[in-house]
Amino acid sequence: MSEIVYLNGEFLPLEKATVPVLDRGFIFGDGVYEVIPAYSRHAFRLPEHLRRLERSLDGIRLANPMGDADWTRLIHEIIARNQGDDQSIYLQVTRGVAKRDHAFPLNVKPTVFLMSSPLVPPARELVENGVPAITATDFRWLKCNVKSTSLLGNCLLRQAAVDAGATEVVLFRDGYLTEASASNVFVVKNGVLFAPPKNHLVLPGITYDVVLELARTGRVPHEVREIPEQDVRSAEEIWITSSTKEVLAVTTLDGRPVGAGTPGAIFRAVHGLYQDFKRKIMRQAA
Ligand code: PMP
């Protein structure tokens, strides 16, 4: 069965979905997106994803084309029309099709696109052994809180990681940790879990919030504060988080072992809490 996508009011097979070349998403990367995991066909943290979408749209001065009830219906319809109980739902809104001009066009309908792909949790081997990461200067723009489809900076950084045989690239701006090319970053130092604050320099990750909630309920000592580069380089543990990666330990940074070079005790505790939490959600959805 072919993958069914949604484009501007229509459900159709992926191969049939096309947009005009003058779409501002294609010409300027003028759009925003969300990636929402669905477990047992239940969209995970949907209100939070819709709130972030609303903020991203506000950030690029684009009116939300739909209310939350319509988004919710549409997302569940895409889940229903595709195969697999666990899916990753991608949605994108661009400023629409107009004659090429940097300034915003008037009276143009935004382009709305949704698709589904299988949601595959990270392989056990990655969870058990951790993953390699490199570091780089965060040269992206100053609105990283907007989940924009303009991802060239992130693509260049992630490719640098791939070229180095690494899973992610941990980013520093002005001597402080921001995030990674497609994940948030946590560190453990002296037994305390640290997370950089949510500001304009990082994407406010949905998984980031879940991890902090689990730290709170699991009584893991934690603090949200600016993290100097030196604290990352001397950390006992480094983690990356995202909706698709969940929580993974970084076990080498720039080729040097992080802590003992294996996923640490606090990682194992919080990863366990995350899996319990996911199982609970799947049971409730079933
Ligand atoms: N930061 C960046 C730059 C990302 O691209 C992502 C994932 N798309 C994240 C953080 C993690 O966000 P989430 O937990 O919502 O997947």
Side-chain angles (χ1 to χ4, degrees), residues 37-285:
Y39 297 110
S40 302
R41 297 190 181 268
H42 169 85
F44 181 67
R45 296 246 151 164
L46 187 53
E48 288 82 356
H49 280 281
L50 293 178
R51 204 174 316 136
R52 185 171 68 183
L53 173 66
E54 180 81 36
R55 292 217 187 99
S56 294
L57 288 163
D58 282 351
I60 69 161
R61 297 167 58 191
L62 182 55
N64 197 334
M66 264 179 265
D68 279 6
D70 286 333
W71 277 120
T72 301
R73 254 195 303 279
L74 191 51
I75 288 160
H76 282 107
E77 174 115 36
I78 271 290
I79 295 171
R81 285 177 184 252
N82 282 281
Q83 287 185 322
D85 287 344
D86 298 344
Q87 301 177 27
S88 173
I89 305 303
Y90 176 89
L91 79 81
Q92 167 170 331
V93 183
T94 80
R95 207 177 303 275
V97 181
K99 180 173 173 295
R100 186 181 180 280
D101 179 357
H102 290 57
F104 298 166
L106 297 172
N107 306 319
V108 165
K109 264 179 90 164
T111 300
V112 177
F113 172 63
L114 281 89
M115 66 178 169
S116 161
S117 43
L119 179 64
V120 184
R124 215 176 132 149
E125 188 261 326
L126 298 184
V127 175
E128 284 175 3
N129 298 335
V131 296
I134 58 165
T135 61
T137 298
D138 192 345
F139 54 68
R140 301 170 305 159
W141 69 337
L142 295 175
K143 288 181 186 242
C144 293
N145 54 318
V146 173
K147 203 161 169 62
S148 165
T149 59
S150 300
L151 285 172
L152 186 54
N154 302 62
C155 291
L156 287 167
L157 288 162
R158 168 99 166 92
Q159 188 57 40
V162 170
D163 292 346
T167 299
E168 255 295 17
V169 50
V170 172
L171 303 173
F172 301 112
R173 197 192 284 263
D174 302 327
Y176 288 89
L177 170 67
T178 54
E179 55 179 344
S181 71
S183 343
N184 290 110
V185 178
F186 291 73
V187 304
V188 174
K189 233 180 124 66
N190 303 320
V192 179
L193 176 64
F194 290 99
K198 285 200 271 185
N199 57 23
H200 62 293
L201 302 179
V202 299
L203 185 84
I206 305 296
T207 321
Y208 168 107
D209 283 340
V210 173
V211 165
L212 284 181
E213 281 171 37
L214 294 174
R216 211 169 300 133
T217 52
R219 296 185 192 286
V220 174
H222 61 280
E223 194 183 323
V224 174
R225 66 147 166 86
E226 303 280 0
I227 303 169
E229 177 171 343
Q230 213 31 58
D231 286 5
V232 178
R233 295 200 181 276
S234 58
E236 292 136 31
E237 301 186 21
I238 302 175
W239 312 348
I240 50 176
T241 69
S242 80
S243 294
T244 47
K245 291 181 213 86
E246 302 181 348
V247 194
L248 287 176
V250 170
T251 41
T252 66
L253 192 66
D254 292 332
R256 284 184 285 275
V258 176
T262 54
I266 301 186
F267 167 79
R268 280 185 272 116
V270 170
H271 184 268
L273 292 173
Y274 193 95
Q275 297 309 311
D276 291 345
F277 178 68
K278 235 176 77 178
R279 271 194 291 273
K280 202 166 101 194
I281 283 167
M282 288 161 108
R283 261 201 315 274
Q284 280 166 358

